[in-house]
Amino acid sequence: MQVFLGTMKITLVQPPALLAVDNYSTITQPPLGLAYLASYTREHGHEVTVIDAVGQAVTQLRPWPKRENRLFQGLSFDEIIARVPRDSEVIGVSCMFTHAWPMVRELLRQFSIAFPNAKLIAGGEHATSMHEKILRETLTHACVLGEGEATLLELLSTFEKGTPLLGVAGLAIRDKAGRIHRTPKRARIADPDSLPW
């Protein structure tokens, strides 16, 4: 993997949680995947902001108006958008669970309005398995499939150079004609201890 050694400004977002009204807890877990992505891209010279919308407002609960019996936990969309640096070139959003997709879709839509020049990327289990839906329903530029550290780093290099995304393994992308393509699968990281803390 050849990586361009420029610096990009990237914001990684753990979106709010969508919880069942009759079975919720304010116990939460830190977004470990985003922490790995942040440390890996920082180690390679990029400027990274992390927004943990749940962790930064764990006790902030309100009804989710688009689905009955669901609670929205964490920062509001307006609060998240206000925390994203205005000069962010790339905004990455994690979507781990399919039940949260309608909420994450709306967040991605609002990012595309608030940051029209930023590249939007999605990752996480839902993005890996349902990338076609994400690319059809949003203006997301790419979905990172599977482990994201090496893929994200190469994707940032590709954005910097302006070269085609089809050359980056581990992605799902939409071409100018609207067709969706999967690039070759990226090998898993053999030694997780090689990742920075």
Side-chain angles (χ1 to χ4, degrees), residues 160-195:
E160 286 178 300
K161 293 184 285 187
T163 54
L165 299 181
L166 281 171
V168 179
L171 292 180
I173 57 172
R174 180 183 49 250
D175 66 22
K176 291 180 182 178
R179 294 179 302 247
I180 294 172
H181 303 274
R182 280 184 68 150
T183 64
K185 188 174 181 178
R186 184 175 296 276
R188 292 178 65 88
I189 295 169
D191 179 13
D193 290 336
S194 68
L195 295 172

PDB file of all heavy atoms in Angstrom, residues 160-195:
ATOM      1  N   GLU A 160      -6.656  12.849  -1.166  1.00  0.00           N
ATOM      2  CA  GLU A 160      -5.637  13.906  -1.299  1.00  0.00           C
ATOM      3  C   GLU A 160      -5.123  14.011  -2.730  1.00  0.00           C
ATOM      4  O   GLU A 160      -4.963  15.109  -3.268  1.00  0.00           O
ATOM      5  CB  GLU A 160      -4.447  13.614  -0.377  1.00  0.00           C
ATOM      6  CG  GLU A 160      -4.722  13.856   1.078  1.00  0.00           C
ATOM      7  CD  GLU A 160      -3.523  13.496   1.928  1.00  0.00           C
ATOM      8  OE1 GLU A 160      -3.079  12.339   1.912  1.00  0.00           O
ATOM      9  OE2 GLU A 160      -3.030  14.400   2.612  1.00  0.00           O
ATOM     10  N   LYS A 161      -4.861  12.858  -3.323  1.00  0.00           N
ATOM     11  CA  LYS A 161      -4.290  12.843  -4.677  1.00  0.00           C
ATOM     12  C   LYS A 161      -5.340  13.024  -5.756  1.00  0.00           C
ATOM     13  O   LYS A 161      -5.005  13.322  -6.897  1.00  0.00           O
ATOM     14  CB  LYS A 161      -3.552  11.522  -4.912  1.00  0.00           C
ATOM     15  CG  LYS A 161      -2.318  11.372  -4.047  1.00  0.00           C
ATOM     16  CD  LYS A 161      -1.553  10.109  -4.380  1.00  0.00           C
ATOM     17  CE  LYS A 161      -2.244   8.888  -3.846  1.00  0.00           C
ATOM     18  NZ  LYS A 161      -1.469   7.654  -4.006  1.00  0.00           N
ATOM     19  N   GLY A 162      -6.617  12.804  -5.416  1.00  0.00           N
ATOM     20  CA  GLY A 162      -7.677  12.912  -6.410  1.00  0.00           C
ATOM     21  C   GLY A 162      -7.692  11.749  -7.387  1.00  0.00           C
ATOM     22  O   GLY A 162      -8.190  11.886  -8.507  1.00  0.00           O
ATOM     23  N   THR A 163      -7.178  10.603  -6.966  1.00  0.00           N
ATOM     24  CA  THR A 163      -7.159   9.430  -7.831  1.00  0.00           C
ATOM     25  C   THR A 163      -8.420   8.588  -7.611  1.00  0.00           C
ATOM     26  O   THR A 163      -9.100   8.750  -6.603  1.00  0.00           O
ATOM     27  CB  THR A 163      -5.887   8.585  -7.581  1.00  0.00           C
ATOM     28  OG1 THR A 163      -5.801   8.284  -6.181  1.00  0.00           O
ATOM     29  CG2 THR A 163      -4.637   9.349  -8.006  1.00  0.00           C
ATOM     30  N   PRO A 164      -8.734   7.679  -8.534  1.00  0.00           N
ATOM     31  CA  PRO A 164      -9.977   6.899  -8.421  1.00  0.00           C
ATOM     32  C   PRO A 164     -10.016   6.012  -7.181  1.00  0.00           C
ATOM     33  O   PRO A 164      -9.027   5.371  -6.817  1.00  0.00           O
ATOM     34  CB  PRO A 164      -9.976   6.048  -9.696  1.00  0.00           C
ATOM     35  CG  PRO A 164      -9.087   6.767 -10.649  1.00  0.00           C
ATOM     36  CD  PRO A 164      -8.041   7.435  -9.804  1.00  0.00           C
ATOM     37  N   LEU A 165     -11.192   5.965  -6.566  1.00  0.00           N
ATOM     38  CA  LEU A 165     -11.385   5.155  -5.366  1.00  0.00           C
ATOM     39  C   LEU A 165     -11.362   3.664  -5.668  1.00  0.00           C
ATOM     40  O   LEU A 165     -11.163   2.854  -4.773  1.00  0.00           O
ATOM     41  CB  LEU A 165     -12.708   5.522  -4.694  1.00  0.00           C
ATOM     42  CG  LEU A 165     -12.841   6.970  -4.210  1.00  0.00           C
ATOM     43  CD1 LEU A 165     -14.194   7.177  -3.546  1.00  0.00           C
ATOM     44  CD2 LEU A 165     -11.719   7.352  -3.274  1.00  0.00           C
ATOM     45  N   LEU A 166     -11.566   3.298  -6.934  1.00  0.00           N
ATOM     46  CA  LEU A 166     -11.558   1.873  -7.286  1.00  0.00           C
ATOM     47  C   LEU A 166     -10.225   1.205  -6.988  1.00  0.00           C
ATOM     48  O   LEU A 166     -10.145  -0.016  -6.883  1.00  0.00           O
ATOM     49  CB  LEU A 166     -11.899   1.687  -8.768  1.00  0.00           C
ATOM     50  CG  LEU A 166     -13.388   1.786  -9.119  1.00  0.00           C
ATOM     51  CD1 LEU A 166     -13.585   1.801 -10.627  1.00  0.00           C
ATOM     52  CD2 LEU A 166     -14.173   0.648  -8.484  1.00  0.00           C
ATOM     53  N   GLY A 167      -9.168   1.989  -6.811  1.00  0.00           N
ATOM     54  CA  GLY A 167      -7.855   1.429  -6.505  1.00  0.00           C
ATOM     55  C   GLY A 167      -7.655   1.114  -5.037  1.00  0.00           C
ATOM     56  O   GLY A 167      -6.612   0.581  -4.658  1.00  0.00           O
ATOM     57  N   VAL A 168      -8.632   1.421  -4.187  1.00  0.00           N
ATOM     58  CA  VAL A 168      -8.505   1.189  -2.740  1.00  0.00           C
ATOM     59  C   VAL A 168      -9.266  -0.078  -2.362  1.00  0.00           C
ATOM     60  O   VAL A 168     -10.479  -0.164  -2.560  1.00  0.00           O
ATOM     61  CB  VAL A 168      -9.061   2.397  -1.942  1.00  0.00           C
ATOM     62  CG1 VAL A 168      -8.942   2.143  -0.441  1.00  0.00           C
ATOM     63  CG2 VAL A 168      -8.344   3.682  -2.333  1.00  0.00           C
ATOM     64  N   ALA A 169      -8.568  -1.056  -1.807  1.00  0.00           N
ATOM     65  CA  ALA A 169      -9.226  -2.296  -1.371  1.00  0.00           C
ATOM     66  C   ALA A 169     -10.075  -2.030  -0.140  1.00  0.00           C
ATOM     67  O   ALA A 169      -9.771  -1.165   0.673  1.00  0.00           O
ATOM     68  CB  ALA A 169      -8.177  -3.364  -1.065  1.00  0.00           C
ATOM     69  N   GLY A 170     -11.180  -2.786  -0.011  1.00  0.00           N
ATOM     70  CA  GLY A 170     -12.001  -2.718   1.178  1.00  0.00           C
ATOM     71  C   GLY A 170     -13.080  -1.655   1.168  1.00  0.00           C
ATOM     72  O   GLY A 170     -13.524  -1.217   2.224  1.00  0.00           O
ATOM     73  N   LEU A 171     -13.530  -1.253  -0.031  1.00  0.00           N
ATOM     74  CA  LEU A 171     -14.542  -0.197  -0.140  1.00  0.00           C
ATOM     75  C   LEU A 171     -15.749  -0.655  -0.936  1.00  0.00           C
ATOM     76  O   LEU A 171     -15.666  -1.545  -1.773  1.00  0.00           O
ATOM     77  CB  LEU A 171     -13.983   1.026  -0.884  1.00  0.00           C
ATOM     78  CG  LEU A 171     -12.905   1.870  -0.248  1.00  0.00           C
ATOM     79  CD1 LEU A 171     -12.526   3.009  -1.189  1.00  0.00           C
ATOM     80  CD2 LEU A 171     -13.339   2.404   1.106  1.00  0.00           C
ATOM     81  N   ALA A 172     -16.863   0.033  -0.711  1.00  0.00           N
ATOM     82  CA  ALA A 172     -17.996   0.037  -1.628  1.00  0.00           C
ATOM     83  C   ALA A 172     -18.185   1.497  -2.016  1.00  0.00           C
ATOM     84  O   ALA A 172     -18.174   2.379  -1.148  1.00  0.00           O
ATOM     85  CB  ALA A 172     -19.253  -0.510  -0.970  1.00  0.00           C
ATOM     86  N   ILE A 173     -18.331   1.751  -3.325  1.00  0.00           N
ATOM     87  CA  ILE A 173     -18.441   3.121  -3.822  1.00  0.00           C
ATOM     88  C   ILE A 173     -19.507   3.193  -4.910  1.00  0.00           C
ATOM     89  O   ILE A 173     -19.904   2.173  -5.474  1.00  0.00           O
ATOM     90  CB  ILE A 173     -17.094   3.634  -4.379  1.00  0.00           C
ATOM     91  CG1 ILE A 173     -16.589   2.709  -5.492  1.00  0.00           C
ATOM     92  CG2 ILE A 173     -16.059   3.764  -3.267  1.00  0.00           C
ATOM     93  CD1 ILE A 173     -15.379   3.224  -6.224  1.00  0.00           C
ATOM     94  N   ARG A 174     -19.927   4.408  -5.199  1.00  0.00           N
ATOM     95  CA  ARG A 174     -20.901   4.658  -6.263  1.00  0.00           C
ATOM     96  C   ARG A 174     -20.177   5.457  -7.344  1.00  0.00           C
ATOM     97  O   ARG A 174     -19.528   6.459  -7.056  1.00  0.00           O
ATOM     98  CB  ARG A 174     -22.078   5.463  -5.686  1.00  0.00           C
ATOM     99  CG  ARG A 174     -23.174   5.821  -6.639  1.00  0.00           C
ATOM    100  CD  ARG A 174     -24.254   6.684  -5.977  1.00  0.00           C
ATOM    101  NE  ARG A 174     -23.678   7.807  -5.251  1.00  0.00           N
ATOM    102  CZ  ARG A 174     -23.660   7.922  -3.917  1.00  0.00           C
ATOM    103  NH1 ARG A 174     -24.189   7.000  -3.148  1.00  0.00           N
ATOM    104  NH2 ARG A 174     -23.106   8.970  -3.341  1.00  0.00           N
ATOM    105  N   ASP A 175     -20.298   5.012  -8.604  1.00  0.00           N
ATOM    106  CA  ASP A 175     -19.647   5.766  -9.673  1.00  0.00           C
ATOM    107  C   ASP A 175     -20.557   6.911 -10.134  1.00  0.00           C
ATOM    108  O   ASP A 175     -21.672   7.091  -9.631  1.00  0.00           O
ATOM    109  CB  ASP A 175     -19.222   4.851 -10.837  1.00  0.00           C
ATOM    110  CG  ASP A 175     -20.392   4.217 -11.576  1.00  0.00           C
ATOM    111  OD1 ASP A 175     -21.529   4.736 -11.513  1.00  0.00           O
ATOM    112  OD2 ASP A 175     -20.168   3.192 -12.247  1.00  0.00           O
ATOM    113  N   LYS A 176     -20.093   7.702 -11.092  1.00  0.00           N
ATOM    114  CA  LYS A 176     -20.843   8.879 -11.554  1.00  0.00           C
ATOM    115  C   LYS A 176     -22.174   8.503 -12.189  1.00  0.00           C
ATOM    116  O   LYS A 176     -23.107   9.304 -12.207  1.00  0.00           O
ATOM    117  CB  LYS A 176     -19.993   9.684 -12.533  1.00  0.00           C
ATOM    118  CG  LYS A 176     -18.830  10.357 -11.847  1.00  0.00           C
ATOM    119  CD  LYS A 176     -17.989  11.159 -12.811  1.00  0.00           C
ATOM    120  CE  LYS A 176     -16.808  11.761 -12.062  1.00  0.00           C
ATOM    121  NZ  LYS A 176     -15.925  12.503 -12.929  1.00  0.00           N
ATOM    122  N   ALA A 177     -22.290   7.282 -12.687  1.00  0.00           N
ATOM    123  CA  ALA A 177     -23.545   6.827 -13.287  1.00  0.00           C
ATOM    124  C   ALA A 177     -24.490   6.228 -12.237  1.00  0.00           C
ATOM    125  O   ALA A 177     -25.588   5.790 -12.574  1.00  0.00           O
ATOM    126  CB  ALA A 177     -23.254   5.791 -14.375  1.00  0.00           C
ATOM    127  N   GLY A 178     -24.044   6.211 -10.966  1.00  0.00           N
ATOM    128  CA  GLY A 178     -24.885   5.687  -9.903  1.00  0.00           C
ATOM    129  C   GLY A 178     -24.737   4.198  -9.646  1.00  0.00           C
ATOM    130  O   GLY A 178     -25.401   3.641  -8.779  1.00  0.00           O
ATOM    131  N   ARG A 179     -23.848   3.528 -10.398  1.00  0.00           N
ATOM    132  CA  ARG A 179     -23.620   2.095 -10.178  1.00  0.00           C
ATOM    133  C   ARG A 179     -22.748   1.899  -8.939  1.00  0.00           C
ATOM    134  O   ARG A 179     -21.821   2.673  -8.698  1.00  0.00           O
ATOM    135  CB  ARG A 179     -22.947   1.478 -11.395  1.00  0.00           C
ATOM    136  CG  ARG A 179     -23.818   1.483 -12.644  1.00  0.00           C
ATOM    137  CD  ARG A 179     -23.066   0.876 -13.815  1.00  0.00           C
ATOM    138  NE  ARG A 179     -21.835   1.623 -14.051  1.00  0.00           N
ATOM    139  CZ  ARG A 179     -21.600   2.356 -15.141  1.00  0.00           C
ATOM    140  NH1 ARG A 179     -22.477   2.421 -16.113  1.00  0.00           N
ATOM    141  NH2 ARG A 179     -20.470   3.006 -15.279  1.00  0.00           N
ATOM    142  N   ILE A 180     -23.035   0.843  -8.202  1.00  0.00           N
ATOM    143  CA  ILE A 180     -22.284   0.566  -6.980  1.00  0.00           C
ATOM    144  C   ILE A 180     -21.250  -0.518  -7.251  1.00  0.00           C
ATOM    145  O   ILE A 180     -21.538  -1.519  -7.899  1.00  0.00           O
ATOM    146  CB  ILE A 180     -23.241   0.168  -5.844  1.00  0.00           C
ATOM    147  CG1 ILE A 180     -24.109   1.388  -5.496  1.00  0.00           C
ATOM    148  CG2 ILE A 180     -22.480  -0.334  -4.621  1.00  0.00           C
ATOM    149  CD1 ILE A 180     -25.208   1.128  -4.535  1.00  0.00           C
ATOM    150  N   HIS A 181     -20.040  -0.280  -6.776  1.00  0.00           N
ATOM    151  CA  HIS A 181     -18.919  -1.208  -6.979  1.00  0.00           C
ATOM    152  C   HIS A 181     -18.303  -1.561  -5.628  1.00  0.00           C
ATOM    153  O   HIS A 181     -18.195  -0.716  -4.754  1.00  0.00           O
ATOM    154  CB  HIS A 181     -17.831  -0.566  -7.843  1.00  0.00           C
ATOM    155  CG  HIS A 181     -18.302  -0.096  -9.163  1.00  0.00           C
ATOM    156  ND1 HIS A 181     -18.368  -0.902 -10.264  1.00  0.00           N
ATOM    157  CD2 HIS A 181     -18.763   1.119  -9.560  1.00  0.00           C
ATOM    158  CE1 HIS A 181     -18.827  -0.217 -11.295  1.00  0.00           C
ATOM    159  NE2 HIS A 181     -19.084   1.015 -10.894  1.00  0.00           N
ATOM    160  N   ARG A 182     -17.884  -2.807  -5.517  1.00  0.00           N
ATOM    161  CA  ARG A 182     -17.073  -3.248  -4.382  1.00  0.00           C
ATOM    162  C   ARG A 182     -15.658  -3.448  -4.876  1.00  0.00           C
ATOM    163  O   ARG A 182     -15.440  -4.119  -5.881  1.00  0.00           O
ATOM    164  CB  ARG A 182     -17.593  -4.567  -3.817  1.00  0.00           C
ATOM    165  CG  ARG A 182     -18.790  -4.410  -2.914  1.00  0.00           C
ATOM    166  CD  ARG A 182     -19.180  -5.726  -2.320  1.00  0.00           C
ATOM    167  NE  ARG A 182     -18.154  -6.162  -1.386  1.00  0.00           N
ATOM    168  CZ  ARG A 182     -18.392  -6.913  -0.326  1.00  0.00           C
ATOM    169  NH1 ARG A 182     -19.605  -7.340  -0.084  1.00  0.00           N
ATOM    170  NH2 ARG A 182     -17.425  -7.272   0.485  1.00  0.00           N
ATOM    171  N   THR A 183     -14.707  -2.872  -4.175  1.00  0.00           N
ATOM    172  CA  THR A 183     -13.313  -3.093  -4.522  1.00  0.00           C
ATOM    173  C   THR A 183     -12.861  -4.412  -3.889  1.00  0.00           C
ATOM    174  O   THR A 183     -13.580  -4.981  -3.062  1.00  0.00           O
ATOM    175  CB  THR A 183     -12.436  -1.920  -4.040  1.00  0.00           C
ATOM    176  OG1 THR A 183     -12.482  -1.853  -2.611  1.00  0.00           O
ATOM    177  CG2 THR A 183     -12.910  -0.594  -4.644  1.00  0.00           C
ATOM    178  N   PRO A 184     -11.692  -4.930  -4.263  1.00  0.00           N
ATOM    179  CA  PRO A 184     -11.240  -6.199  -3.679  1.00  0.00           C
ATOM    180  C   PRO A 184     -11.213  -6.145  -2.150  1.00  0.00           C
ATOM    181  O   PRO A 184     -10.977  -5.095  -1.554  1.00  0.00           O
ATOM    182  CB  PRO A 184      -9.830  -6.369  -4.246  1.00  0.00           C
ATOM    183  CG  PRO A 184      -9.857  -5.593  -5.530  1.00  0.00           C
ATOM    184  CD  PRO A 184     -10.756  -4.419  -5.268  1.00  0.00           C
ATOM    185  N   LYS A 185     -11.448  -7.294  -1.553  1.00  0.00           N
ATOM    186  CA  LYS A 185     -11.461  -7.398  -0.098  1.00  0.00           C
ATOM    187  C   LYS A 185     -10.066  -7.129   0.450  1.00  0.00           C
ATOM    188  O   LYS A 185      -9.067  -7.556  -0.129  1.00  0.00           O
ATOM    189  CB  LYS A 185     -11.928  -8.799   0.298  1.00  0.00           C
ATOM    190  CG  LYS A 185     -12.172  -8.975   1.760  1.00  0.00           C
ATOM    191  CD  LYS A 185     -12.767 -10.346   2.046  1.00  0.00           C
ATOM    192  CE  LYS A 185     -13.026 -10.499   3.526  1.00  0.00           C
ATOM    193  NZ  LYS A 185     -13.633 -11.791   3.834  1.00  0.00           N
ATOM    194  N   ARG A 186     -10.021  -6.426   1.564  1.00  0.00           N
ATOM    195  CA  ARG A 186      -8.733  -6.155   2.214  1.00  0.00           C
ATOM    196  C   ARG A 186      -8.469  -7.233   3.260  1.00  0.00           C
ATOM    197  O   ARG A 186      -9.385  -7.647   3.981  1.00  0.00           O
ATOM    198  CB  ARG A 186      -8.756  -4.788   2.892  1.00  0.00           C
ATOM    199  CG  ARG A 186      -7.405  -4.414   3.509  1.00  0.00           C
ATOM    200  CD  ARG A 186      -7.402  -3.018   4.066  1.00  0.00           C
ATOM    201  NE  ARG A 186      -7.585  -1.995   3.049  1.00  0.00           N
ATOM    202  CZ  ARG A 186      -6.616  -1.479   2.301  1.00  0.00           C
ATOM    203  NH1 ARG A 186      -5.373  -1.909   2.443  1.00  0.00           N
ATOM    204  NH2 ARG A 186      -6.877  -0.537   1.424  1.00  0.00           N
ATOM    205  N   ALA A 187      -7.222  -7.676   3.354  1.00  0.00           N
ATOM    206  CA  ALA A 187      -6.843  -8.686   4.351  1.00  0.00           C
ATOM    207  C   ALA A 187      -7.011  -8.111   5.755  1.00  0.00           C
ATOM    208  O   ALA A 187      -6.805  -6.916   5.980  1.00  0.00           O
ATOM    209  CB  ALA A 187      -5.402  -9.118   4.124  1.00  0.00           C
ATOM    210  N   ARG A 188      -7.377  -8.979   6.685  1.00  0.00           N
ATOM    211  CA  ARG A 188      -7.510  -8.552   8.081  1.00  0.00           C
ATOM    212  C   ARG A 188      -6.128  -8.260   8.671  1.00  0.00           C
ATOM    213  O   ARG A 188      -5.109  -8.765   8.201  1.00  0.00           O
ATOM    214  CB  ARG A 188      -8.209  -9.640   8.892  1.00  0.00           C
ATOM    215  CG  ARG A 188      -9.663  -9.815   8.495  1.00  0.00           C
ATOM    216  CD  ARG A 188     -10.325 -10.925   9.279  1.00  0.00           C
ATOM    217  NE  ARG A 188     -10.404 -10.635  10.691  1.00  0.00           N
ATOM    218  CZ  ARG A 188     -11.409  -9.962  11.272  1.00  0.00           C
ATOM    219  NH1 ARG A 188     -12.406  -9.523  10.554  1.00  0.00           N
ATOM    220  NH2 ARG A 188     -11.406  -9.748  12.575  1.00  0.00           N
ATOM    221  N   ILE A 189      -6.114  -7.456   9.707  1.00  0.00           N
ATOM    222  CA  ILE A 189      -4.858  -7.143  10.397  1.00  0.00           C
ATOM    223  C   ILE A 189      -4.445  -8.379  11.189  1.00  0.00           C
ATOM    224  O   ILE A 189      -5.185  -8.842  12.070  1.00  0.00           O
ATOM    225  CB  ILE A 189      -5.034  -5.920  11.312  1.00  0.00           C
ATOM    226  CG1 ILE A 189      -5.339  -4.682  10.455  1.00  0.00           C
ATOM    227  CG2 ILE A 189      -3.798  -5.687  12.183  1.00  0.00           C
ATOM    228  CD1 ILE A 189      -5.780  -3.470  11.237  1.00  0.00           C
ATOM    229  N   ALA A 190      -3.280  -8.912  10.861  1.00  0.00           N
ATOM    230  CA  ALA A 190      -2.830 -10.166  11.490  1.00  0.00           C
ATOM    231  C   ALA A 190      -2.392  -9.968  12.920  1.00  0.00           C
ATOM    232  O   ALA A 190      -2.537 -10.862  13.764  1.00  0.00           O
ATOM    233  CB  ALA A 190      -1.698 -10.777  10.665  1.00  0.00           C
ATOM    234  N   ASP A 191      -1.840  -8.804  13.234  1.00  0.00           N
ATOM    235  CA  ASP A 191      -1.336  -8.541  14.579  1.00  0.00           C
ATOM    236  C   ASP A 191      -1.981  -7.264  15.136  1.00  0.00           C
ATOM    237  O   ASP A 191      -1.463  -6.166  14.911  1.00  0.00           O
ATOM    238  CB  ASP A 191       0.198  -8.391  14.536  1.00  0.00           C
ATOM    239  CG  ASP A 191       0.790  -8.096  15.901  1.00  0.00           C
ATOM    240  OD1 ASP A 191       0.062  -8.250  16.916  1.00  0.00           O
ATOM    241  OD2 ASP A 191       1.965  -7.679  15.954  1.00  0.00           O
ATOM    242  N   PRO A 192      -3.098  -7.395  15.842  1.00  0.00           N
ATOM    243  CA  PRO A 192      -3.756  -6.191  16.386  1.00  0.00           C
ATOM    244  C   PRO A 192      -2.846  -5.366  17.305  1.00  0.00           C
ATOM    245  O   PRO A 192      -3.049  -4.167  17.451  1.00  0.00           O
ATOM    246  CB  PRO A 192      -4.949  -6.748  17.162  1.00  0.00           C
ATOM    247  CG  PRO A 192      -5.181  -8.108  16.611  1.00  0.00           C
ATOM    248  CD  PRO A 192      -3.841  -8.600  16.150  1.00  0.00           C
ATOM    249  N   ASP A 193      -1.846  -6.019  17.909  1.00  0.00           N
ATOM    250  CA  ASP A 193      -0.913  -5.276  18.782  1.00  0.00           C
ATOM    251  C   ASP A 193      -0.042  -4.316  17.986  1.00  0.00           C
ATOM    252  O   ASP A 193       0.624  -3.455  18.572  1.00  0.00           O
ATOM    253  CB  ASP A 193      -0.036  -6.237  19.566  1.00  0.00           C
ATOM    254  CG  ASP A 193      -0.818  -6.997  20.631  1.00  0.00           C
ATOM    255  OD1 ASP A 193      -1.865  -6.486  21.063  1.00  0.00           O
ATOM    256  OD2 ASP A 193      -0.380  -8.102  21.015  1.00  0.00           O
ATOM    257  N   SER A 194      -0.062  -4.421  16.651  1.00  0.00           N
ATOM    258  CA  SER A 194       0.718  -3.490  15.834  1.00  0.00           C
ATOM    259  C   SER A 194       0.018  -2.143  15.714  1.00  0.00           C
ATOM    260  O   SER A 194       0.632  -1.151  15.296  1.00  0.00           O
ATOM    261  CB  SER A 194       0.942  -4.076  14.427  1.00  0.00           C
ATOM    262  OG  SER A 194      -0.295  -4.148  13.719  1.00  0.00           O
ATOM    263  N   LEU A 195      -1.252  -2.085  16.086  1.00  0.00           N
ATOM    264  CA  LEU A 195      -1.985  -0.817  16.007  1.00  0.00           C
ATOM    265  C   LEU A 195      -1.576   0.079  17.180  1.00  0.00           C
ATOM    266  O   LEU A 195      -1.326  -0.393  18.282  1.00  0.00           O
ATOM    267  CB  LEU A 195      -3.493  -1.077  16.066  1.00  0.00           C
ATOM    268  CG  LEU A 195      -4.059  -1.841  14.898  1.00  0.00           C
ATOM    269  CD1 LEU A 195      -5.515  -2.208  15.155  1.00  0.00           C
ATOM    270  CD2 LEU A 195      -3.942  -1.043  13.608  1.00  0.00           C
TER     271      LEU A 195
END
